[in-house]
């Protein structure tokens, strides 16, 4: 992709490709790298945040598969990288079905490429702010049986929906068709745990990110993240910092001493 970026039209930065760059991926263009470097200069922990977020995703998917979930709807799934949901889930549930959903066409096309020939997975382009377009999508209807438990994953994506009511409404509509025993997993950027001046740095990084990409960015507090789980049974240990959610031996160690510096909150709820 780096070669394509050099020969083609300049592409504006996107959240998916900036995140890919922070994770050491190759699916990014010069504008993405520039924006990612500028954010990381102000807030050097961002690549570690991305690694810890990815580790939470892995732990959550393992836990959900071990709890018997066989269907996953991964919304804001991003560009495929190590430890994609279908790979992690199938280490426990070999016939797990996964639908990846993202707004970014590059994320979708790269996902389709790695899923080529996989009848139990799909990648579709849709917008989380329009939940019905996801729930009624032909590929979602083909693979996901809403009469059985489903895990809806909203990992590091809700902070790209700045309007609080729109975000809560989208989550509630996505969870409306889920039967008891289904799950919702969320991770979300938050500056709650950062003391001054780090929270200032994060606000500057946020503004910079917002100006250089097509996707605005919005931090939320712990109570605001907890609100997404309204009506569900929040699994232990609740909404906590990324490294604190059921840590595992293969986790990164960036924030072992200061989990709040991960700047990401995470939780899993069970639909009653
Ligand atoms: C930081 S990445 C997270 C990727 C993956 N979920 C993970 O945690 O590793 C955020 C992703 O959300 C996608 N995204 C942002 N706004 C979205 C929206 N309104 N609907 C669907 N996807 C969106 C971006 O394109 C990007 O791929």
């Amino acid at each position: 992709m780096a070669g394509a970026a050099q020969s083609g039209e300049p592409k504006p930065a996107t959240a998916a490709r900036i995140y890919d760059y922070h994770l050491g991926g190759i699916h990014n263009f010069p504008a993405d790298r520039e924006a990612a470097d500028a954010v990381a200069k102000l807030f050097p922990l961002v690549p570690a945040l991305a690694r810890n977020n990815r580790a939470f995703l892995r732990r959550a998917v393992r836990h959900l598969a071990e709890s018997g979930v066989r269907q996953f709807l991964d919304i804001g799934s991003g560009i495929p990288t190590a430890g994609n949901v279908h790979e992690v889930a199938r280490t426990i549930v070999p016939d797990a079905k996964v639908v990846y959903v993202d707004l970014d066409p590059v994320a979708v096309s790269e996902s389709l490429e790695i899923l080529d020939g996989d009848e139990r997975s799909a990648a579709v382009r849709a917008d989380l702010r329009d939940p019905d377009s996801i729930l009624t999508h032909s590929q979602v209807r083909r693979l996901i049986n809403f009469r059985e438990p489903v895990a809806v994953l909203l990992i590091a994506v809700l902070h790209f929906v700045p309007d609080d009511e729109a975000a809560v409404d989208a989550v509630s509509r996505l969870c409306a068709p889920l039967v008891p025993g289904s799950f919702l997993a969320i991770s979300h950027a938050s500056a709650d745990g950062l003391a001054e001046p780090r929270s200032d740095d994060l606000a500057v990084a946020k503004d910079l990110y917002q100006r250089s990409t097509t996707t605005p960015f919005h931090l939320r507090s712990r109570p605001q993240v907890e609100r997404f789980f309204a009506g569900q049974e929040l699994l232990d240990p609740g909404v906590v910092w990324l490294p604190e959610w059921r840590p595992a031996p293969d986790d990164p160690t960036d924030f072992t001493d200061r989990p709040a510096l991960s700047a990401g909150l995470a939780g899993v709820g069970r639909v009653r």
Side-chain angles (χ1 to χ4, degrees):
M1 177 153 309
Q6 277 146 23
S7 58
E9 288 290 303
K11 300 263 196 291
T14 72
R17 298 194 296 261
I18 291 175
Y19 182 70
D20 175 67
Y21 180 69
H22 283 317
L23 282 170
I26 56 161
H27 303 294
N28 45 73
F29 295 109
D32 306 306
R33 297 193 277 277
E34 204 176 301
D37 284 340
V39 170
K41 199 168 165 196
L42 281 164
F43 193 68
L45 294 179
V46 166
L49 196 168
R51 273 195 297 279
N52 278 266
N53 178 62
R54 210 63 207 172
F56 163 69
L57 171 65
R58 188 169 60 232
R59 299 194 302 276
V61 170
R62 269 193 214 139
H63 176 77
L64 298 176
E66 282 164 0
S67 304
V69 176
R70 306 159 68 91
Q71 319 182 84
F72 295 81
L73 189 51
D74 183 6
I75 302 171
S77 48
I79 292 168
T81 180
N84 295 300
V85 171
H86 68 290
E87 294 159 344
V88 177
R90 287 180 190 163
T91 61
I92 295 148
V93 179
D95 62 348
K97 292 181 176 167
V98 181
V99 180
Y100 294 100
V101 179
D102 205 285
L103 194 56
D104 185 320
V106 171
V108 177
S109 63
E110 294 294 334
S111 301
L112 285 171
E113 202 166 298
I114 66 154
L115 296 175
D116 188 32
D118 184 335
E119 286 300 311
R120 298 192 309 277
S121 298
V124 303
R125 187 171 180 214
D127 190 330
L128 153 66
R129 293 164 296 183
D130 182 4
D132 292 345
S133 72
I134 297 174
L135 295 171
T136 59
H137 195 287
S138 57
Q139 293 284 35
V140 174
R141 304 309 299 188
R142 178 176 75 83
L143 285 168
I144 307 287
N145 175 0
F146 285 95
R147 289 185 299 274
E148 302 283 332
V150 178
V152 171
L153 311 177
L154 291 166
I155 309 298
V157 63
L158 283 166
H159 42 239
F160 296 113
V161 182
D163 184 293
D164 288 332
E165 296 316 311
V168 167
D169 181 58
V171 175
S172 137
R173 281 161 64 195
L174 284 167
C175 291
L178 304 183
V179 295
S182 297
F183 291 90
L184 169 68
I186 289 176
S187 70
H188 199 296
S190 175
D192 270 12
L194 305 182
E196 300 295 336
R198 278 189 183 278
S199 62
D200 282 355
D201 290 350
L202 194 62
V204 175
K206 182 189 115 171
D207 288 346
L208 192 153
Y209 196 97
Q210 197 149 331
R211 275 186 278 113
S212 42
T213 73
T214 50
T215 29
F217 189 82
H218 184 65
L219 302 168
R220 288 193 173 90
S221 65
R222 192 184 304 249
Q224 285 176 310
V225 175
E226 285 168 346
R227 195 178 161 207
F228 292 123
F229 296 101
Q232 299 186 4
E233 175 200 346
L234 200 49
L235 301 194
D236 282 341
V239 173
V240 292
W241 298 111
L242 287 167
E244 295 177 324
W245 199 91
R246 305 188 181 210
D250 57 349
D251 283 344
T253 53
D254 308 278
F255 303 114
T256 308
D257 299 334
R258 305 274 306 277
L261 291 187
S262 70
L265 289 167
V268 177
R270 190 173 195 276
V271 175
R272 296 185 224 258

